[in-house]
Every structure is written in C-alpha cells, then in structure tokens.
Amino acid sequence: GLLAAPLREMVFSRLEEGGEEPVVTFPDDYPNSVRHFLLIGFLGMFIGAIVFFYMGISRKVNTITHVLTFFIAAVAACAYYAMWAGLGVEYKTTDTTPRVIFWARYLDWIVTTPLILVDLALLSRADTPTIISLVGNDVLMVICGLIGALTVAPYKYMWWVAGLIFFIVVIIQLLQRLNNAEGYGGDALKGLSWLTIICWIVYPIVWIVGSEGTGALGLSQEVGIITITDLIAKIGFGFYLLANVDSPEAESVPLNQSSQQYV
C-alpha cells in the first residue's frame, strides 16, 4: 500500500535522520493539496449553509426541508474546518504502512447522512417507521465504516462488509419506499434519490482503496475525491431539493405564529 508520496518521503527521511519513529503533527504535515481540498470543502459548505439559511428565512413560512438542508451544510462546514486545522485526524501506525485517518468525516456523516435521508423521506411523505428504519441503518453503516477505519486487517474488512450490507438496505428502502405510487415528490424525488445513491457508492470504494483500506490511493487523491463527492451530495443535493420544494406549509396555518417571526 502507498501513502501520499510527499507524506511518505517525509516519514522515510525523518526515519533516516533520527532512526526513530517520526513525530507527525497536523495540519503542519499535510501535503499542500490536502490542505487546499479541505479548505475548498469548508468554503463550499460554509457558503452553502449561508445560502440555505437565507433561502429558508426569506420565505413567508420556513419549511423543515430548508432547516434540515441548512444543518447538513453547517455540520459539514464545521467538520471540514476542523480537519483543515488538524483536528479529527489520526496518524495510524498500527497498519501495514502508516496511514492518515480522517475520523472527523464519520462524525459529520453520522449527523448529515440521516438528515439527507429525512429530507428525501419528507419529500415522499414517507411514514415514521420508514424514516426510523432508513436513519437507523444509515447510522449503523457509518459506525461500521468508522470502526473499520480505526482497526487493522483482517478485522477492518469485516466492518467494511457490515457497513456495505447496511448501505444496501438503505438503497433498497430508498428505491422501494420512496418511489411511491401516489407520486409524491415526482421527478425531483427520483433525481435526488439517484444522486444520493450514486454519490454514496463512491465512499465505500474510496474506503477500500484509500487510507482506511489497502492504501493504494494517494492521500491527496482520496481527500480530493471525498471532498468533491461531499459537495455534490450535500450542496448540489440541497440546491436541487430546495428548488423543487413545494410549499404546502405556506398555505396551511402555522402551528405557532411567533416561531416564524425573525428579527
């Protein structure tokens, strides 16, 4: 397995100099491209969060969809800023080769991926058991990926397989339950469901070839692919969703008038 070339060279040069295990600190020891990708991720999520928040409060009546979509971007912005600043990342030396594990990603995903699924479920007017099942399987999927990332082979691959099984359950539920006979959500629901599925397929593939798995992919490529996928799956998803949100709430009487007043 290979680590990103700049990081690998730095580790070997330090080993030659001192003959002992190098002290790797973040963000100082990130390759430049990794820092740039994490910063792009932060800025994209941060700008998205501001836009989604404004789109919500500028409506006559805010919607749950707008609120959730804002939180998806806001949580991701916090995670990317933390990783850019060197938090939520571990230098894992227990594996076959040294690895850089961004565990803050998983904290982000434990919060944001259920919110994405709830957004889809609300669009399709799914019932509560469907929402709970989607969210539960999704959270288990992310936790399996996280445990796998922190353990070593062969055990880590069993966790990856377990995560993949939960992911398949989520996909089946999305396709079966959300494509409803009544036609709620329409083409927007189908498009958003497929956008989510296609983006999410990238994550287990990058896990298996990246730092968590075999280490075949360089660190810069891994961070770049994940960042771009994250921006599409969250910010792209958010704009597509909010552009297609019907406003049944706007016509109905709000439960609490004062809760919708913004100073």
Side-chain angles (χ1 to χ4, degrees):
L2 298 173
L3 198 65
L7 200 64
R8 201 170 63 251
E9 285 160 16
M10 172 204 72
V11 169
F12 289 143
S13 66
R14 290 195 190 180
L15 276 170
E16 284 163 16
E17 284 166 21
E20 57 190 49
E21 192 66 32
V23 178
V24 177
T25 56
F26 299 111
D28 306 343
D29 288 331
Y30 283 150
N32 274 339
S33 52
V34 168
R35 290 208 74 175
H36 294 154
F37 277 125
L38 293 173
L39 186 61
I40 289 164
F42 163 66
L43 292 172
M45 299 298 182
F46 181 70
I47 293 163
I50 291 170
V51 174
F52 296 153
F53 183 77
Y54 178 76
M55 285 171 79
I57 63 164
S58 62
R59 292 169 62 90
K60 190 170 137 212
V61 176
N62 205 344
T63 72
I64 297 172
T65 305
H66 282 78
V67 175
L68 294 180
T69 308
F70 159 70
F71 281 129
I72 290 164
V75 170
C78 292
Y80 270 96
Y81 184 79
M83 292 186 289
W84 177 76
L87 284 170
V89 55
E90 181 198 340
Y91 187 63
K92 181 181 172 189
T93 53
T94 52
D95 220 316
T96 47
T97 51
R99 308 291 171 87
V100 178
I101 304 294
F102 290 96
W103 55 264
R105 276 181 197 157
Y106 297 91
L107 297 188
D108 162 354
W109 294 337
I110 279 176
V111 179
T112 56
T113 56
L115 296 181
I116 289 170
L117 293 174
V118 171
D119 262 344
L120 289 170
L122 290 172
L123 194 60
S124 72
R125 304 194 190 176
D127 59 0
T128 307
T130 301
I131 295 175
I132 292 170
S133 179
L134 274 169
V135 168
N137 282 298
D138 172 66
V139 168
L140 285 168
M141 170 186 83
V142 176
I143 289 172
C144 286
L146 172 60
I147 297 172
L150 300 177
T151 49
V152 293
Y155 311 107
K156 68 181 183 182
Y157 295 112
M158 296 308 296
W159 286 106
W160 180 83
V161 170
L164 200 61
I165 291 166
F166 288 121
F167 178 39
I168 291 165
V169 173
V170 170
I171 291 176
I172 291 167
Q173 285 188 317
L174 275 179
L175 297 179
Q176 279 185 346
R177 304 285 183 87
L178 300 188
N179 284 340
N180 52 82
E182 294 85 357
Y184 293 136
D187 289 338
L189 176 66
K190 287 185 177 65
L192 287 161
S193 297
W194 279 110
L195 174 73
T196 301
I197 290 166
I198 291 163
C199 283
W200 287 13
I201 285 171
V202 172
Y203 299 116
I205 295 170
V206 171
W207 192 104
I208 210 80
V209 297
S211 298
E212 286 96 338
T214 58
L217 197 64
L219 188 67
S220 301
Q221 292 95 310
E222 178 193 319
V223 174
I225 292 166
I226 293 285
T227 303
I228 292 161
T229 307
D230 260 351
L231 287 168
I232 296 167
K234 292 182 170 73
I235 306 303
F237 173 93
F239 280 114
Y240 188 179
L241 174 67
L242 297 184
N244 287 283
V245 168
D246 297 323
S247 50
E249 293 98 329
E251 278 76 49
S252 61
V253 179
L255 292 174
N256 179 343
Q257 292 284 341
S258 63
S259 71
Q260 291 289 348
Q261 303 299 321
Y262 292 94
V263 179

